[in-house]
Amino acid sequence: MRDILPVLNGWYTAGTPFGLATVVSTSRSAPRDPGAAMAVGPDDEVVGSVSGGCVEGAVFELAQEVVASGEARLETFGYSDEDAFAVGLTCGGEITLLVRPVTAALDPAFGEIAESVAAGRPVTVATVTDGPAPRGATLAVWPDRVAGTLGSTGLDVAVTADARGELALGATGLRHYGPHGERREDAVTVFLHSFAPPPRMLVFGAIDYAAAVARIGAFLGYRVTVCDARPVFATPKRFPQGVEVVVDWPHRYLDGTATDERTVICVLTHDPKFDVPLLEVALRRPAAYIGAMGSRRTHDDRMKRLTESGLTEDEVSRLRSPVGLDLGARTPEEVAVSVAAEIVALRWGGSGAPLTATAGAIHPPS
């Protein structure tokens, strides 16, 4: 959704109605996660994807139908053993889509939502998918205000509280309520879609490997910052466009920089005078991933120094060192793939093993 919002906002600003299909729930080996979206706009232009191609043809027709009728629909697609040629998912999973028309009259806050996402301001969009409340009704929830309604004051109040909690976690998913927001009922189903600012990737050490890691980090959707104390190396021209480059001592910069449970920290300096003070700070603060480059010998020396500095066993155990998965990587680009693979595996609980050596669902529940 984040990727296609600029196009959608252009249609919306021009006053052109469009059909928006959003994945609201999945099961088994579904190809896309909740929040994935596809839209059909003027002249039958299509942007986005909800299944990687399996059901897009059927969704295209549904989007046209909801624009014509002005009414949202909830549809589920799965694999049919009885008719392998029916419209469905060949992977054997199941996805449920909310397909709704978007116009200024039906969704007056859509433009504000798109602007907030583009500016990196956090917002959660709550949309009714099922129940006695109006299907497709939306409530936009920012940390300090709301816009829209789901049909009742009690429901709006309950959903607003939950939406702000989900926004703090960057979480997206379904919630259930009573008609007036009752917590112990499930008559109304609401999809909470959180647009938190992109997670940060902090890369320390302005070397060739850092340029490759920064490039793949940006590709994965991180807001990337490269920091090095040496101004001759920490220059923007050595790094991809859009990557922030900071000249400062790494530990001092990190000490003054906010991190959270989504932040990735890559220490590529492999020099004790830089990386040990830096890791002392990093291992005591929230982060999703903390990795450090170096040989086995460098790793052993680093661990000894960190233990002597007073870090606890639990704190030191958070360090991924030597950094990356064992891919046999040699070039900076290959090493960057190795690091990115470890970050993704840690994020989703993957084993890092070849899929040919594993069994069960390829995309287990996140």
Side-chain angles (χ1 to χ4, degrees):
M1 176 68 91
R2 189 188 298 273
D3 294 337
I4 67 174
L5 263 176
V7 176
L8 305 189
N9 196 37
W11 294 343
Y12 182 84
T13 303
T16 304
F18 58 89
L20 177 61
T22 305
V23 178
V24 296
S25 69
T26 65
S27 66
R28 300 193 299 278
S29 195
R32 302 296 303 272
D33 289 326
M38 169 183 159
V40 179
D43 301 321
D44 294 337
E45 181 181 355
V46 177
V47 293
S49 171
V50 291
S51 73
C54 298
V55 300
E56 267 69 4
V59 175
F60 175 83
E61 295 179 0
L62 281 170
Q64 291 179 315
E65 290 172 9
V66 300
V67 170
S69 68
E71 297 182 357
R73 291 174 58 176
L74 191 69
E75 298 286 343
T76 297
F77 294 92
Y79 182 78
S80 171
D81 289 324
E82 297 177 358
D83 184 0
F85 293 98
V87 174
L89 302 179
T90 57
C91 61
E94 185 176 274
I95 60 172
T96 298
L97 306 175
L98 177 68
V99 189
R100 66 186 180 94
V102 178
T103 65
L106 293 171
D107 201 342
F110 188 90
E112 270 193 283
I113 294 166
E115 290 173 6
S116 292
V117 174
R121 295 190 295 268
V123 60
T124 295
V125 181
T127 309
V128 174
T129 65
D130 205 6
R135 177 174 289 159
T138 61
L139 177 71
V141 181
W142 289 268
D144 58 349
R145 61 191 175 93
V146 299
T149 180
L150 302 181
S152 77
T153 301
L155 184 59
D156 289 348
V157 169
V159 171
T160 296
D162 289 345
R164 286 182 175 145
E166 299 290 84
L167 188 57
L169 299 172
T172 288
L174 294 173
R175 288 292 188 98
H176 303 277
Y177 307 88
H180 301 287
E182 296 89 344
R183 296 286 184 176
R184 297 185 179 182
E185 297 184 29
D186 59 1
V188 180
T189 304
V190 178
F191 180 62
L192 300 182
H193 193 175
S194 296
F195 294 94
R200 298 199 65 181
M201 173 182 279
L202 306 176
V203 181
F204 295 96
I207 60 177
D208 290 344
Y209 292 95
V213 170
R215 186 175 298 109
I216 203 166
F219 175 75
L220 290 176
Y222 289 93
R223 180 163 70 93
V224 182
T225 298
V226 176
C227 176
D228 197 301
R230 303 164 296 178
V232 67
F233 295 111
T235 60
K237 67 181 181 182
R238 298 186 66 236
F239 295 93
Q241 185 176 4
V243 171
E244 179 186 27
V245 180
V246 174
V247 179
D248 200 349
W249 279 85
H251 71 281
R252 184 169 61 190
Y253 174 76
L254 182 59
D255 195 44
T257 301
T259 63
D260 59 26
E261 288 74 11
R262 302 181 302 151
T263 303
V264 165
I265 299 173
C266 297
V267 179
L268 310 182
T269 52
H270 54 81
D271 183 332
K273 69 175 178 288
F274 291 119
D275 60 18
V276 172
L278 171 60
L279 288 169
E280 286 184 54
V281 177
L283 293 169
R284 290 188 170 115
R285 58 167 52 224
Y289 175 91
I290 304 171
M293 176 178 280
S295 66
R296 301 286 184 188
R297 181 176 179 179
T298 299
H299 167 74
D300 292 341
D301 178 69
R302 180 189 292 133
M303 295 296 283
K304 178 182 177 183
R305 291 171 183 266
L306 290 173
T307 301
E308 291 173 349
S309 73
L311 287 170
T312 67
E313 183 176 343
D314 285 344
E315 290 169 337
V316 173
S317 69
R318 298 176 63 204
L319 180 61
R320 315 289 291 195
S321 171
V323 71
L325 296 185
D326 179 15
L327 305 182
R330 297 180 182 275
T331 68
E333 291 74 19
E334 290 174 344
V335 170
V337 171
S338 167
V339 173
E342 185 175 41
I343 291 170
V344 172
L346 187 62
R347 178 183 181 185
W348 297 111
S351 67
L355 288 173
T356 54
T358 64
I362 294 176
H363 303 287
S366 59

